[in-house]
């Protein structure tokens, strides 16, 4: 007997797992109008500088602390259980601690992007992060 209600689906098989050279492991859950990225960023590592034009990005820190740096020399520490909306700015995420930091990125897609899957298949899976 199936006890699962018919109003939800479990998406454990529709995930893209990426281990990035910059020290971040990401599980990408991709849908037509939103994405969820589960990130583990290793100690003393950082993501590349990037900006978003076609998505809204909200970050929820689950474990540890991250530092968000903006190109205009501003930065902000984001602690466990804190939520931050990253506006359309050039920024990067840094783990300047000695422990892994875990965070979820919720991305609302404002405009349809052609072939999201193909963008993730490009060099080290970073080009889709520059939307």
């Amino acid at each position: 007997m199936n006890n699962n209600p018919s109003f939800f689906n479990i998406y454990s098989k529709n995930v893209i797992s990426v281990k990035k050279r910059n020290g971040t492991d990401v599980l990408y859950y991709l849908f037509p109008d939103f994405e969820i990225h589960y990130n583990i960023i290793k100690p003393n590592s950082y993501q590349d500088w990037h900006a978003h034009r076609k998505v809204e990005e909200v970050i929820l820190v689950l474990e540890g602390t991250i530092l968000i740096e903006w190109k205009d020399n501003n930065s902000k520490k984001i602690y466990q259980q804190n939520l931050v909306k990253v506006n359309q700015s050039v920024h990067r995420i840094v783990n300047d601690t000695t422990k892994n930091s875990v965070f979820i990125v919720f991305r609302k897609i404002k405009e349809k992007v052609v072939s999201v899957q193909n963008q993730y298949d490009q060099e080290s899976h970073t080009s889709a992060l520059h939307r």
Side-chain angles (χ1 to χ4, degrees):
M1 183 171 134
N2 185 353
N3 291 327
N4 292 335
S6 61
F7 58 85
F8 74 87
N9 293 315
I10 297 174
Y11 290 96
S12 61
K13 294 182 183 177
N14 298 339
V15 63
I16 299 169
S17 178
V18 177
K19 290 185 179 291
K20 296 185 176 187
R21 290 177 286 171
N22 63 17
T24 305
D25 297 336
V26 186
L27 297 175
Y28 294 101
Y29 298 87
L30 308 176
F31 301 91
D33 54 349
F34 71 95
E35 301 175 3
I36 300 171
H37 305 176
Y38 180 89
N39 293 262
I40 300 172
I41 187 167
K42 292 182 177 37
N44 300 307
S45 59
Y46 56 88
Q47 295 182 345
D48 297 325
W49 290 102
H50 62 281
H52 312 285
R53 293 181 313 276
K54 298 179 182 177
V55 298
E56 285 185 40
E57 184 173 82
V58 176
I59 299 170
L60 173 63
V61 177
L62 300 177
E63 295 177 26
T65 303
I66 60 173
L67 177 71
I68 299 180
E69 295 180 334
W70 287 271
K71 270 289 197 188
D72 64 4
N73 293 323
N74 285 321
S75 64
K76 181 72 176 165
K77 283 268 192 189
I78 311 299
Y79 299 95
Q80 185 172 333
Q81 299 181 359
N82 286 165
L83 184 76
V84 63
K85 181 178 177 186
V86 180
N87 296 320
Q88 295 178 354
S89 60
V90 179
H91 61 277
R92 71 178 182 171
I93 298 172
V94 178
N95 181 355
D96 61 356
T97 72
T98 58
K99 296 182 179 180
N100 284 346
S101 292
V102 179
F103 59 96
I104 295 177
V105 178
F106 300 94
R107 299 177 84 188
K108 181 179 185 292
I109 300 172
K110 295 178 186 178
E111 299 176 28
K112 294 284 185 196
V113 178
V114 177
S115 187
V116 173
Q117 179 66 47
N118 287 341
Q119 289 184 9
Y120 280 95
D121 290 338
Q122 291 179 5
E123 194 268 326
S124 76
H125 304 284
T126 59
S127 63
L129 299 176
H130 299 288
R131 290 189 265 165

